[in-house]
Amino acid sequence: MIATKPMTRNEVRRHYLNMLKDLHLKASEVWVGGGSALIMHDLRKVTNDIDAGCTTDIMERVSKQVKREPEHKTEADGFMAPCDLLPLEDYWMDLHSEPDTKPTDLEMIDGVNCYTLQACLKQKLLLKEKLNRPKDDIDIENIRKKMKQLGIKE
């Protein structure tokens, strides 16, 4: 899912909070990763979409609410691991099932539940390994710099 224009931190926050409200979800039930998490950590200015994660039971609940079945994606489709994917166009968001994400991988920033810096780094290192995108090198360097500044170990 690509937004019609790059989204700023405020726009990511607005779309995320509207989605929670409209779908009657709690922030603890849906989190953001990728570029959206980096925006929340002030490591990027814009992103083109919101990659959000949830558990399989939340995916099922949201799927029923929006009356659409998620698509099953695999590594062959360019995903890091098999998952269900449900585009939520009204929120410029793709909702991914992420059953292995733990509460310790997440933190709340300005009302948005997102990956911690350590979880962002882990995600970006895996993306670098699988997709070898130049933008991941930049993100990895910026994450490591901020972790060092904050005294957070890898």
Side-chain angles (χ1 to χ4, degrees):
M1 159 98 36
I2 301 295
T4 55
K5 66 181 180 91
M7 289 181 282
T8 64
R9 188 179 202 266
N10 285 339
E11 291 166 319
V12 167
R13 184 175 182 274
R14 182 173 47 83
H15 285 294
Y16 172 83
L17 294 174
N18 285 340
M19 180 274 308
L20 293 178
K21 180 180 170 222
D22 294 348
L23 299 177
H24 311 288
L25 297 167
K26 299 175 190 163
S28 61
E29 296 175 316
V30 179
W31 51 87
V32 300
S36 299
L38 294 178
I39 281 178
M40 297 311 297
H41 284 286
D42 294 322
L43 291 174
R44 270 203 202 167
K45 296 285 185 207
V46 297
T47 189
N48 290 325
D49 64 354
I50 301 171
D51 289 312
C54 66
T55 60
T56 51
D57 60 322
I58 296 301
M59 176 66 77
E60 188 176 309
R61 219 169 89 197
V62 171
S63 176
K64 286 179 183 175
Q65 286 182 347
V66 299
K67 297 178 174 68
R68 279 185 293 135
E69 288 297 315
E71 306 166 34
H72 187 69
K73 300 292 185 178
T74 65
E75 290 178 349
D77 298 312
F79 287 78
M80 294 188 305
C83 72
D84 288 329
L85 174 78
L86 184 63
L88 299 173
E89 294 88 354
D90 291 346
Y91 311 102
W92 295 358
M93 180 181 293
D94 284 333
L95 187 62
H96 303 250
S97 60
E98 294 183 8
D100 296 333
T101 300
K102 300 169 187 60
T104 54
D105 295 328
L106 305 169
E107 66 180 294
M108 196 69 65
I109 300 175
D110 199 17
V112 177
N113 194 15
C114 63
Y115 280 177
T116 61
L117 287 170
Q118 298 96 319
C120 287
L121 181 60
K122 182 179 173 183
Q123 180 186 42
K124 287 296 181 173
L125 288 170
L126 188 54
L127 284 168
K128 172 67 180 159
E129 179 184 313
K130 292 191 179 272
L131 303 177
N132 198 24
R133 303 178 305 186
K135 72 176 187 172
D136 294 322
D137 289 325
I138 295 166
D139 289 336
I140 289 166
E141 182 181 338
N142 289 334
I143 294 166
R144 284 184 164 148
K145 278 183 193 173
K146 184 155 187 177
M147 288 174 68
K148 185 175 181 179
Q149 287 172 349
L150 297 173
I152 300 171
K153 295 186 189 258
E154 285 188 34

